[in-house]
Every structure is written in C-alpha cells, then in structure tokens.
Amino acid sequence: MAEREEIALGATLDTLLKAVRRQLAECRAEDADFEARLLVEHFTGTSRTDAISDPDRPVTRQAVGEIDAALARRRAGEPVYRILGFREFYGLTLKLSPQTLEPRPDTETLVDLALAEARRIVASRGRCRILDLGTGTGAIALALLSMVPEAEAVGVDISEEALATARTNADINGQRERFVALRSNWLTDVDGMFDLIVSNPPYIPTADLETLSREVREHDPRAALDGGADGLDFYRSIAAGAHRHLEGEGAVAVETGYNQKSAVEAIFAKEGYSTVRTARDLGGRDRAMLFMPVRSG
Ligand SMILES: C[S@@+](CC[C@H](N)C(=O)[O-])C[C@H]1O[C@@H](n2cnc3c(N)ncnc32)[C@H](O)[C@@H]1O
C-alpha cells in the first residue's frame, strides 16, 4: 500500500478498525463500517465484543499484512465476501467458490416462504423431500434442512464446481446425511418425486447483464445470472417439467426479479398451477412465489 495510508504496525483493534473503515470509504464501499468490522474480525480472530471491551488490544503483524492484502483486493473491486471466501445465510456459514453465486439476503424471503410450506408438509406427511434447482452454494436447501429436521434435499446444478462447494457446505453445516448434490440440466437427470421444489434460477435478461454493478458482473458467475432474452427462460423450464416430479399436494416455490411477478405467474398458470402465496423482500419488492397444481375435477 505504498502511496496510501499505511496501517501502522503496532496498531490496536481500535486504530485498525478506524484505518480500515477510512480506506473502505475512500474506495466507495457501500457500507464501509460493516465491511471494516467483517475484515478486522476475520483476520484478527476477534469479535465485535472485543472491539468494544478491549479496543487497545494489540494486533499482530500478520493480521495487519492480511488486511492490507484484503484491502488491495477490495480496491480492485472484489466484493468483501469473495475476499473472505464465505458468507452467512439464514444463520449458516456458506463457503463460496468462483462458480457459485454469493447468496443474497433477498433469497431469505424465498426460504421463509418455502419453510412454512415444508413445515405444513411435515405436519401432514411426517417428511418433506425437497428439490433445489440451481443450488449454487446449497444455500436454499441447506437453510431449509437446518430448520426442518424431518426434511431431506437434492440440490441440482449444471456446474460441478458449484456442486462440490454445496457438498462442502452440507458437511460444514452438519447436513451430509440429508443432502445429495446432483449434476443435471434443470430436471433432465432428476429421478423421483418431491414434496417441495424450490429454485432461485438465473433471472437477469441477457441485455441487462452489462448494466449490473462491476462487483456482480465480474465476480458472480454468468451462468448464475443470465436468464435468457427476457430473463424468464428457466421459469419456463421449471414450470414445464415440475409436474413429473411433484407429489400430490406438493408445491413449487421460486424467487423472482422484483418486476417479474406477473410474468412468472402467467408462465406457471399456463402449465396448470395456481399462485398460493407471494412474499416481498425487506425492501418491499415482490420476491418469491409459491405455486400448486390446480386440482382437476
Ligand atoms: C441465481 S443462482 C442461485 C444459487 C443459489 N440457489 C442461491 O440462491 O444462492 C442460479 C444457479 O443455477 C445454476 N444453473 C444455471 N443453469 C443451470 C441449468 N441449466 N441447470 C441447472 N442449474 C443451472 C447456476 O449454476 C447457479 O448456481
């Protein structure tokens, strides 16, 4: 960091936090305060409580060096969670890899919606078999498994590397026994029947990919973002194929882009589903929908 402010060696937790916060603000991090805490706590092995109760605690030369290196990556546009290599989602710690989307807080809206349904299914059938299409880090499936001990899940992805990360995440979170990672192009190689199909598919229209922030464009994999010309390709695939894998009384829950609710509703309606519930994210935008097949007769 030659021409920039050096983080003084012999720094304390408090001086380090302040210096890191200042440097993050200079490189326009959205929430410099929060990111500074994440980096300092991770590389010094301390907690928020330590920063408050023991601000004069000295920090090691090694931690300062690691934070310097992390700040260089952050200045080059890498998101803070990519630098850490993991992020928290629904109370779980999930490892990230170059082929996995960084799970977003918005997706917790889908988990909340699916969780209520999973519990309803367990109450009536004593089990819940979940299929997570486009599992990435395993975020949605593993969050549901963590909340519903009777459930088991298959996580599908096109990317082998994403599946390896999802398996690791199942291990880290103690869910190896109840989670299977399967390579498939959506439903093509999926066997068997499920009580609940969940998905956060890629839903950005191809032409809009260039307008995404640099952090997203350069660090989330394109295969996790590109939803085809109108962003809806994969809702069509899922709606068309889900019938063959859904138990009677089963449900499908998907995340959508904030402006895709009616288009996705129409796609599922065309395939014989009715909208049972919808949910909004913390910003009040439509974000998740739950469908069930319309009963005939
Ligand atoms: C928006 S990401 C969602 C990841 C994760 N479920 C989450 O919510 O954080 C979409 C995922 O779909 C996967 N995907 C893309 N095309 C696919 C396909 N043809 N078949 C299966 N999965 C696919 C991507 O690799 C990516 O992991």
Side-chain angles (χ1 to χ4, degrees):
M1 0 190 6
E3 75 276 68
R4 297 179 192 270
E5 173 192 14
E6 243 359 276
I7 292 174
L9 291 179
T12 65
L13 259 188
D14 189 52
T15 58
L16 186 60
L17 260 172
K18 286 184 178 138
V20 173
R21 192 181 302 133
R22 222 171 11 247
Q23 294 191 39
L24 287 168
E26 277 164 18
C27 70
R28 298 189 209 293
E30 220 171 83
D31 190 342
D33 195 41
F34 178 67
E35 289 195 12
R37 274 196 277 115
L38 278 179
L39 290 176
V40 169
E41 285 170 16
H42 178 69
F43 290 109
T44 61
T46 58
S47 66
R48 184 147 198 212
T49 316
D50 295 326
I52 295 164
S53 65
D54 193 9
D56 297 329
R57 182 190 294 205
V59 288
T60 65
R61 197 180 273 263
Q62 184 184 339
V64 172
E66 286 170 347
I67 290 172
D68 258 356
L71 285 171
R73 287 170 66 180
R74 190 69 190 92
R75 275 195 293 275
E78 199 169 339
V80 70
Y81 288 110
R82 292 276 170 200
I83 297 168
L84 297 178
F86 66 86
R87 92 166 275 174
E88 302 291 315
F89 179 82
Y90 223 85
L92 305 177
T93 298
L94 297 176
K95 188 174 172 295
L96 307 176
S97 66
Q99 291 310 316
T100 57
L101 183 89
E102 186 190 311
R104 304 296 206 277
D106 287 341
T107 301
E108 296 188 343
T109 306
L110 172 63
V111 174
D112 285 340
L113 185 70
L115 177 59
E117 188 59 18
R119 287 185 166 143
R120 183 192 67 77
I121 291 166
V122 168
S124 75
R125 293 172 222 176
R127 58 157 170 77
C128 183
R129 293 203 67 212
I130 298 167
L131 178 65
D132 176 15
L133 295 171
T135 199
T137 53
I140 301 167
L142 298 177
L144 291 170
L145 291 183
S146 75
M147 302 299 289
V148 187
E150 300 85 351
E152 49 191 53
V154 175
V156 161
D157 211 284
I158 194 80
S159 158
E160 280 292 2
E161 193 191 319
L163 291 168
T165 305
R167 280 187 201 102
T168 303
N169 284 328
D171 284 349
I172 294 172
N173 291 286
Q175 291 162 0
R176 176 195 280 250
E177 306 298 319
R178 293 188 292 139
F179 180 78
V180 173
L182 173 73
R183 181 158 194 274
S184 174
N185 180 0
W186 301 119
L187 290 154
T188 313
D189 294 311
V190 172
D191 272 333
M193 302 298 282
F194 297 86
D195 303 295
L196 183 58
I197 298 180
V198 291
S199 185
N200 171 20
Y203 55 66
I204 312 286
T206 308
D208 293 356
L209 292 173
E210 294 316 309
T211 67
L212 298 173
S213 71
R214 182 176 165 210
E215 291 189 357
V216 176
R217 250 186 304 124
E218 293 183 1
H219 296 282
D220 280 313
R222 190 180 171 107
L225 302 172
D226 188 352
D230 63 359
L232 301 169
D233 278 6
F234 302 128
Y235 298 104
R236 294 190 190 91
S237 312
I238 294 168
H243 280 295
R244 289 193 296 281
H245 297 281
L246 206 57
E247 296 281 8
E249 305 281 308
V252 182
V254 295
E255 175 169 322
T256 64
Y258 70 94
N259 56 358
Q260 293 173 327
K261 182 180 168 201
S262 14
V264 172
E265 193 156 38
I267 288 169
F268 275 84
K270 185 162 164 272
E271 299 292 342
Y273 290 86
S274 63
T275 310
V276 177
R277 258 183 297 286
T278 61
R280 294 187 168 171
D281 61 25
L282 291 175
R285 292 162 300 209
D286 292 314
R287 188 58 72 184
M289 309 178 74
L290 184 88
F291 302 100
M292 288 178 88
V294 178
R295 286 187 215 193
S296 48

